[in-house]
Amino acid sequence: YTVLQAETYRNMAVATAVIFLATTIVIGLFENKKKFAISVYGTIISVSSIIAMGFTLLEIMTISSIKLNGISMVNVVASIGVYVEFSVHFVNQFLRNQFSSKVEGAKGALSLVGFAVLQGALSTIIGVIPLAFTTFPILQIFYFKMIIIMSAIGALYGLLFLPALFSLIGVIVPVNSELKKRAIKE
């Protein structure tokens, strides 16, 4: 178990590092230096939430008596990639669109991608419902239960946690003078 736990953490770290690099490049690829720095900041917040989602999954597995084994380890590491979908799109919309304040930015980004995040989570949950009725416990535990948990965690972070976090610590850079005037008034 100790070796498996260490291997899980190592694989999560490698997956997260690759995601950080890829996300930084994709979000900030065609930006100037100032916007690239903001993209790195947004990526740090996004990857931090992905790490938090991964550890939330491990915590819920413990509470739900799902043991860490080879199958659950693969699910945990794969969840890191799945969680990108729940966070990076929001972050990208927050950073790329012109909003007058952090709160408006969080609302605007959520209005642009919130439905897609919800739809993704619900379609995944609906897709695995038949596994709840299988007679194979391995399918019920490691695929039905874990995928439901992964989707719920992703939706909660993507629809509630990230918008709240970005409304508090997100970075807004007004680009044109009209936006600058509105930002100053707020």
Side-chain angles (χ1 to χ4, degrees):
Y1 176 80
T2 305
V3 172
L4 193 59
Q5 186 178 25
E7 187 70 16
T8 301
Y9 292 148
R10 187 183 71 75
N11 287 332
M12 288 174 69
V14 169
T16 303
V18 169
I19 287 167
F20 177 81
L21 182 63
T23 304
T24 301
I25 290 169
V26 169
I27 289 179
L29 188 60
F30 300 109
E31 305 293 341
N32 60 40
K33 287 181 183 177
K34 186 175 183 180
K35 285 189 176 182
F36 185 77
I38 292 168
S39 296
V40 171
Y41 176 75
T43 301
I44 290 169
I45 295 172
S46 179
V47 169
S48 297
S49 74
I50 290 168
I51 292 168
M53 286 185 255
F55 281 104
T56 301
L57 175 61
L58 289 170
E59 292 165 4
I60 292 175
M61 284 172 56
T62 302
I63 292 167
S64 302
S65 300
I66 298 174
K67 304 266 188 252
L68 185 62
N69 58 36
I71 297 170
S72 60
M73 180 184 80
V74 169
N75 283 341
V76 169
V77 174
S79 75
I80 300 297
V82 171
Y83 293 148
V84 170
E85 296 298 322
F86 289 106
S87 65
V88 171
H89 297 298
F90 173 85
V91 173
N92 191 36
Q93 291 300 322
F94 186 92
L95 295 176
R96 288 207 182 272
N97 290 294
Q98 298 176 3
F99 299 108
S100 60
S101 69
K102 292 182 273 191
V103 172
E104 287 302 313
K107 286 180 186 177
L110 189 58
S111 72
L112 291 169
V113 297
F115 183 71
V117 168
L118 181 62
Q119 193 175 30
L122 291 177
S123 65
T124 301
I125 290 169
I126 290 167
V128 297
I129 285 177
L131 294 175
F133 305 105
T134 185
T135 57
F136 299 106
I138 194 167
L139 294 177
Q140 286 180 336
I141 295 168
F142 298 111
Y143 296 101
F144 171 71
K145 199 173 189 181
M146 284 193 72
I147 290 174
I148 296 284
I149 292 168
M150 286 168 40
S151 296
I153 291 169
L156 286 172
Y157 273 80
L159 296 172
L160 298 175
F161 177 74
L162 272 176
L165 186 63
F166 268 81
S167 70
L168 296 172
I169 64 170
V171 177
I172 295 293
V173 180
V175 176
N176 63 35
S177 59
E178 182 183 318
L179 282 174
K180 284 182 183 178
K181 289 177 189 174
R182 285 196 317 200
I184 291 169
K185 287 181 184 176
E186 293 180 9

